[in-house]
Amino acid sequence: MPAAGWLAIGSVVAALAAPSAGGAVLVLLAASLGAAGLAMSARATRRGILATAVGAGALAVRLLVLPAPPPASVAPPEGSGPWVARVESIGAPREGQQVATLRLERDERVAVAATLPRYPAVDPGARVEISGAIQAPPDGSYGDYLRRTGVAGTIRSRSLEVLPSAASDAGTTLEGLRRHAGAALAASIPEPEAGLASGIVIGLRDRVDRDLAADFTTVGASHVVAISGWNIAIVAACIAALCGGLSRRRRAVVTAAAIVAYVAFAGASASVVRAAAMAGVVLIARESGRAGRAAAALGWAALLLLLVDPHLVSDAGFQLSALATAGILAWATPFGAWLGARLSRLPGWLTECLAVSLVAQAATLPVVLLSFGRLAIVSPVVNLGVVPLVAPAMAACAIALVGGLATLAGAPALVATLLGLPAWFLLSVIVGIVQLSARLPFASATIDPPWNLVAAGVAAALVAGIVIARRIGLTRRRSHRAATPVRTTPAPRERTRRGPVRAVAVLIVAAAAGLVLVAAHRPDGVTRITVLDIGQGDAILIEGSSGGRMLVDGGPDPDRLLVELDRRLPPWDRRLDVLVLTHPHEDHVAGLAMLLDRYRIGRVFENGMSGRGPGYAAWEAALGRPGAPPRGILETGDAIAVDDLRFGVLWPDPGCVPRAPPESGREINDRSIVLLGAIDGRRILLTGDLEDDVDAVLLARGLPRIDLVKVAHHGSATASSEALLEAIRPRVAAISVGTGNTYGHPASETLERLRAVGAQVYRTDTDGAIEISFVAGRMSVAVSKGPGSEPHPTPRPSAPTAQPAPAPFACAIPSGG
């Protein structure tokens, strides 16, 4: 190890001991260690001990001259606002709400972790006004994390207003460019792959789907999307490997430029710059042809960072960056050579990327076990499948970015779609590997204290054993080479170039894959109704036998809705012929505003009532923009057709829906659009959030037996009365409900009523998305999770019951508003 490495070790030990020992004691201990080193006879040992003493002494002197203050701890201000703040950073949306860190303008020392409405969307640097009480950080690991990062409290605001900002600076301009690039990727690639592309290409981790990010963490592949030294090292190593034809000096320049560009587009936060400093200095030293100085560069980087901020020694990000970079430096080249010899058919850049990923994981395993208590058992296998795809996926994302920018500038949407298909395919494979692996029962193990300490010790011992064994092996090989005479061997024959052949093979495979994708998404003559798993709300996708599409409601979470739709519809055909909003509650409308930006909507239908929430305000604004789809009102007697599936509107009657929403949520629910569909003798009833107040009206008009009912109001106790269920006697009942919702949905009495009439009940909180297929008069149900994951055929109904003509109904709510 070079002297700089021992310097860094000395500074680390001193920083760890500083809270209990103090600067003066550390100076004395460093001096004692230096004296002991001078007494050593072995030159190498004396050199290492002296360097360690100098590193510890330097940090001790720094603490004496300029003591490091503890992390700022500011009490959250009292009151409920309103608070004016600036957005410092944003996280991935959660359950239809934005997550952000805000800095209050009245006291810039106060940072709060805020949960905000999903609309209007905010970006870093924006000025906002919110309201609500700021609470102290909660107990537990999350509260400890907030305190370590200087966050004074948390707030959940029910209001959000974006205020005018001052003139934009370079940081705001750069952030705007990053967000525009993210929008271009979203125009070219479906979700959740578009969010993943934004994370790995331009560092917008807030665009990565939260569930997908959790899966990456579960399988130990979070370095693909994490902006850390680990991630920067992998990206820079892949760039350097792709530039293998250049000279060392030029390759070092390209690598340095790539690191700078990547850091700039990642937001250039303190943690990202720190990670880039550690990874970049070593990689550049390595690529410049001075590999022997790379370890010294790492040591100096660690020492300087600790001298600037001794508290970094306890920061998990600093530890992971340092260890990952050291592992890459020490083991990537020999392990890459070993891997290349055994996987000789793979290209060099591929084996190098694999080597970088695996050795970084091995080096950081002790810290991961100690800090997070999680062992990703499938990580080595997953990374063997994922890491080779990252570099080509990033290249394909660059092409998709060009296509998306062209479309945003006015080019046809087809340009973005075609240029985004390669990236979508590669990212889909990555996502598929990660999600499939994360579902395995043994994908990861959680290790609670004190066993995480034991596991970290075992991992550290294994790493140390590998290092010692490798040194012993190197010594033996050198002795053997010295004792063995050199024999000349004939030069190997030059390999025949196979570049054109491989290019043709890649094109053939790509064409075949494209044909398979197109064939898989062609209409197959089956009519499908899918109750999407979008949380506590409603969103129902209807696909006709000839390709027609209708969406009924959009749920509370626009990000989750886009993931669910993009997962089922082909990326080259983002089209919905009809969109129906049954009523303007947020759990039905909040998901729709973003949908208008991503999908081509043929026509929009509503019940005629406005809403009060931010989701409806965003929906109204989106429909008022140029190019928005035409909108209309559905009333009793109207009809909609989706290919062979025909819907009639049973409710609400003309004149029963006021424009201004009533004060009572129950009255708003009672104006939900109710649709009765028919196909091949089968009947479908979609009830919105209708309460039991209107059941008597529908019964008076006469209702047929129903094969599929979307249970009203998420299965609440005040919906789907016994009389209604006795009349329609549904064979299948689908309940759209969120996991762990605070409303108690579905109510036990409603479930009992459904079972009493013989209905087979499916719930999105336990079964996932519920897909009901209709073909040749038969109906089958499949769910995406839970015990009912296989299609369940249902018996053929008896002769359809005739539907009497509607009876008049006098509505007590005046129209207007």
Side-chain angles (χ1 to χ4, degrees), residues 125-471:
R127 292 180 68 243
V128 297
E129 182 178 283
I130 59 175
S131 60
I134 300 177
Q135 307 290 336
D139 296 331
S141 58
Y142 178 60
D144 294 340
Y145 164 76
L146 293 180
R147 294 183 187 93
R148 285 198 309 270
T149 55
V151 174
T154 64
I155 186 173
R156 181 178 292 270
S157 177
R158 302 179 71 86
S159 64
L160 173 63
E161 181 182 357
V162 178
L163 304 177
S165 298
S168 61
D169 53 12
T172 305
T173 302
L174 178 60
E175 186 64 31
L177 291 175
R178 295 174 67 219
R179 298 289 157 181
H180 190 65
L185 288 172
S188 302
I189 308 171
E191 294 291 351
E193 291 80 13
L196 180 60
S198 296
I200 65 177
V201 175
I202 51 180
L204 293 178
R205 288 207 69 193
D206 57 278
R207 297 287 180 92
V208 182
D209 178 68
R210 198 172 277 270
D211 293 335
L212 180 60
D215 288 340
F216 270 91
T217 301
T218 298
V219 300
S222 57
H223 58 82
V224 173
V225 293
I227 306 302
S228 63
W230 194 343
N231 181 263
I232 292 171
I234 292 172
V235 171
C238 291
I239 294 293
L242 289 172
C243 299
L246 300 178
S247 64
R248 282 187 177 272
R249 187 179 299 275
R250 291 182 178 178
R251 190 163 63 231
V253 171
V254 172
T255 302
I259 291 175
V260 172
Y262 191 81
V263 169
F265 267 89
S269 64
S271 61
V272 174
V273 172
R274 182 177 68 238
M278 299 196 66
V281 107
V282 174
L283 287 169
I284 293 171
R286 180 182 172 207
E287 291 301 328
S288 65
R290 300 178 180 180
R293 300 185 182 180
L298 174 61
W300 282 113
L303 175 63
L304 293 175
L305 288 171
L306 286 175
L307 288 175
V308 172
D309 185 6
H311 290 300
L312 281 178
V313 73
S314 59
D315 182 76
F318 172 80
Q319 297 166 5
L320 292 173
S321 295
L323 289 175
T325 309
I328 292 169
L329 174 63
W331 304 329
T333 299
F335 183 68
W338 180 87
L339 202 62
R342 283 150 183 80
L343 302 174
S344 57
R345 293 184 178 273
L346 296 180
W349 65 266
L350 185 55
T351 55
E352 183 166 353
C353 289
L354 281 173
V356 166
S357 175
L358 293 175
V359 300
Q361 288 183 80
T364 55
L365 182 59
V367 171
V368 170
L369 291 172
L370 183 63
S371 300
F372 307 108
R374 179 183 291 273
L375 175 62
I377 300 172
V378 299
S379 177
V381 177
V382 170
N383 278 276
L384 285 174
V386 168
V387 171
L389 299 174
V390 173
M394 292 181 68
C397 287
I399 298 173
L401 178 61
V402 173
L405 291 174
T407 296
L408 294 180
L414 183 61
V415 174
T417 300
L418 292 178
L419 294 182
L421 284 178
W424 170 71
F425 176 75
L426 292 169
L427 293 172
S428 296
V429 175
I430 293 175
V431 170
I433 293 173
V434 169
Q435 290 181 334
L436 180 63
S437 302
R439 302 299 180 268
L440 296 175
F442 54 83
S444 66
T446 301
I447 306 175
D448 297 322
W451 298 108
N452 63 326
L453 179 61
V454 175
V458 171
L462 288 174
V463 172
I466 293 172
V467 172
I468 294 171
R470 179 173 177 267
R471 288 198 171 188

Side-chain angles (χ1 to χ4, degrees), residues 534 536-539 553-556 583 585-590 689 713-714:
I534 42 76
Q536 182 65 18
D538 273 9
D553 291 327
H583 66 293
H585 270 154
E586 290 292 287
D587 58 339
H588 292 248
V589 69
D689 274 2
H713 197 202
H714 322 294

Side-chain angles (χ1 to χ4, degrees), residues 700-716:
R701 298 176 177 180
L703 289 174
R705 294 290 180 91
I706 298 297
D707 295 282
L708 167 66
V709 62
K710 198 287 298 180
V711 178
H713 197 202
H714 322 294
S716 72

